[in-house]
Amino acid sequence: MSDHKSSVEQYVQAISESGLSIYDYIEVGDRNLWIPTPDLEILIDVALRAISLQGLPLRTRSKFVKELICQALGYPIPNSFKKTKPRFPGQFFDTYIQKSNNLQIWNDETEATRRYVLIRVSSDDLITKVKAVTGDTLAKLDTTGTLTQKYQAKLLTGQVDAELVTNQDSNLLLPFLNKNVDLQLVTSPINYPGLGEILPIEEIFNCLRQLIGQSIVHIGYDQERNRGAALHRLICQQLGYQNYQDDGRFPDIRHQLLEVKLQTSSTIDLGLVCPDSTNPLDVPKIGDCQIRHCDVRYAIFYAVKSGKNLILTKFYLTTGERFFSRFPQFQGKVLNKKLQIPLPTNFFDS
């Protein structure tokens, strides 16, 4: 962690030297000034942890925390904080101080790319942990239906067991592909993708189609994330990574811009992420290009229950750009004005 901490300090220094305020626009993926979500979490967590908010009225507490965050990220503290949406427009995030596990978002739609900095406060008003997540992660956490899955598609299985929907990646991704990359040399599958480190979609297809027929333990339909983790582990091993890692962020295997879906029904839940969106993805630029959501590849495995196991029977691979050409989109639903999301009891533990 210490090495990672020192590496994220470069953002603080760059922001401090830039003279920018929290309200000045920064392009997503800017190598110097845009702080990717995992690094944003580290910086704010280190700065705020063990700070006491005892005795502070709610408004004063909120202002105090925002001032601390400005300092942590290298921004000057404004004379007054504007009522913008989100409250930190330059880095595109909002802050929520959580004494309970009930997250409430008022009069605002949750966006896939907006960041949410959740600050855990103990019963005696000490800050104990900070988590930073994107809106699509919040969509996965909601179990009540108050945050309706905004995008869904239908899986039409077809006759073949393995189907490559498109044999070419998006044009933007083409210059960065390398069919000979050795993933055993990569420290983590959730590293940011780099120049010459991304396998072409056809190589990924030929590799992962070999998982058809393999099984994972069926741990119940209410354990979707844990079942997905078992599949992620299999995929990482098959691609050649030495280690398995999953931080719950989009896309699942960030280093390969690969999102994984395990299907036991025909409805594909996509949360707040629309696969063909041209919005920027929260990763640093590769060269001078910013990766978009539509450049992400989607690996969809269909499985059937067999005793205590799920058997992988079908596999589909597509780009986000071509996703809806194969999987018909359902009509999206409208989000409630007040969103209440019960955070898992272990949300702040990892």
Side-chain angles (χ1 to χ4, degrees):
M1 171 68 83
S2 58
D3 289 343
H4 196 173
K5 180 180 180 295
S6 61
S7 70
V8 300
E9 293 291 344
Q10 65 185 337
Y11 295 116
V12 180
Q13 183 176 347
I15 290 169
S16 179
E17 293 173 353
S18 72
L20 295 173
S21 78
I22 62 172
Y23 304 107
D24 292 319
Y25 172 77
I26 293 174
E27 186 180 13
V28 175
D30 185 297
R31 286 179 171 273
N32 297 315
L33 298 171
W34 174 264
I35 309 174
T37 304
D39 301 330
L40 185 71
E41 177 177 296
I42 290 171
L43 286 169
I44 300 178
D45 181 60
V46 168
L48 268 60
R49 198 183 292 206
I51 295 287
S52 175
L53 305 179
Q54 196 165 33
L56 296 178
L58 289 182
R59 280 195 172 186
T60 307
R61 183 181 71 170
S62 177
K63 182 174 183 288
F64 177 57
V65 166
K66 288 201 279 279
E67 289 175 350
L68 291 174
I69 291 174
C70 286
Q71 291 176 328
L73 303 184
Y75 285 106
I77 298 172
N79 293 327
S80 62
F81 287 94
K82 303 173 185 177
K83 292 185 177 180
T84 55
K85 290 185 179 183
R87 291 305 172 92
F88 285 76
Q91 295 289 341
F92 206 53
F93 71 85
D94 274 313
T95 56
Y96 293 87
I97 299 172
Q98 295 295 130
K99 211 166 187 177
S100 74
N101 283 339
N102 183 37
L103 173 63
Q104 297 188 30
I105 301 174
W106 288 83
N107 298 320
D108 206 5
E109 284 203 357
T110 308
E111 301 175 61
T113 53
R114 186 182 296 192
R115 282 96 73 80
Y116 299 81
V117 173
L118 310 182
I119 301 159
R120 183 59 151 171
V121 178
S122 67
S123 57
D124 55 355
D125 292 318
L126 276 181
I127 296 175
T128 58
K129 179 78 177 184
V130 173
K131 291 283 287 182
V133 297
T134 48
D136 59 286
T137 300
L138 289 184
K140 295 176 185 176
L141 295 176
D142 177 50
T143 57
T144 64
T146 57
L147 179 55
T148 309
Q149 296 288 347
K150 199 169 187 181
Y151 297 107
Q152 291 182 321
K154 187 174 183 62
L155 173 58
L156 305 172
T157 53
Q159 298 300 312
V160 296
D161 292 341
E163 182 179 340
L164 182 59
V165 176
T166 174
N167 62 5
Q168 182 172 296
D169 285 286
S170 63
N171 287 334
L172 185 144
L173 214 57
L174 293 180
F176 313 126
L177 303 177
N178 177 10
K179 67 178 182 180
N180 297 315
V181 61
D182 185 357
L183 297 183
Q184 289 190 11
L185 304 177
V186 179
T187 55
S188 171
I190 61 172
N191 281 1
Y192 299 125
L195 183 65
E197 295 181 354
I198 305 172
L199 288 168
I201 194 169
E202 200 162 14
E203 295 292 324
I204 292 178
F205 177 74
N206 290 332
C207 183
L208 296 188
R209 69 186 304 175
Q210 298 173 54
L211 292 179
I212 292 176
Q214 293 205 33
S215 64
I216 57 178
V217 177
H218 178 54
I219 50 179
Y221 293 101
D222 59 341
Q223 297 288 315
E224 182 178 354
R225 180 165 180 177
N226 290 331
R227 289 190 296 138
L231 178 57
H232 296 177
R233 188 182 297 274
L234 268 182
I235 290 174
C236 288
Q237 291 172 349
Q238 187 66 26
L239 289 174
Y241 289 102
Q242 292 280 23
N243 302 306
Y244 161 74
Q245 202 172 351
D246 174 20
D247 61 5
R249 304 181 193 273
F250 177 89
D252 295 307
I253 301 174
R254 194 175 304 124
H255 185 250
Q256 291 302 309
L257 297 173
L258 186 66
E259 174 72 356
V260 177
K261 297 289 182 185
L262 175 59
Q263 296 295 132
T264 53
S265 72
S266 61
T267 299
I268 307 171
D269 283 325
L270 301 166
L272 298 176
V273 176
C274 190
D276 60 1
S277 167
T278 56
N279 285 337
L281 189 65
D282 181 18
V283 296
K285 286 183 177 181
I286 303 178
D288 293 326
C289 291
Q290 182 56 42
I291 304 300
R292 308 159 300 173
H293 281 86
C294 61
D295 302 313
V296 171
R297 290 81 72 86
Y298 285 77
I300 302 171
F301 283 87
Y302 185 78
V304 296
K305 189 172 181 294
S306 176
K308 295 183 178 180
N309 293 324
L310 288 174
I311 309 297
L312 304 177
T313 59
K314 290 184 182 293
F315 167 54
Y316 312 86
L317 187 64
T318 182
T319 60
E321 195 173 54
R322 298 285 296 159
F323 190 94
F324 292 127
S325 71
R326 175 60 179 80
F327 308 106
Q329 183 180 359
F330 291 165
Q331 182 65 43
K333 298 179 181 178
V334 178
L335 293 172
N336 295 333
K337 282 295 181 185
K338 178 187 176 184
L339 304 176
Q340 295 195 70
I341 304 172
L343 302 174
T345 53
N346 64 348
F347 178 74
F348 288 96
D349 294 344
S350 58

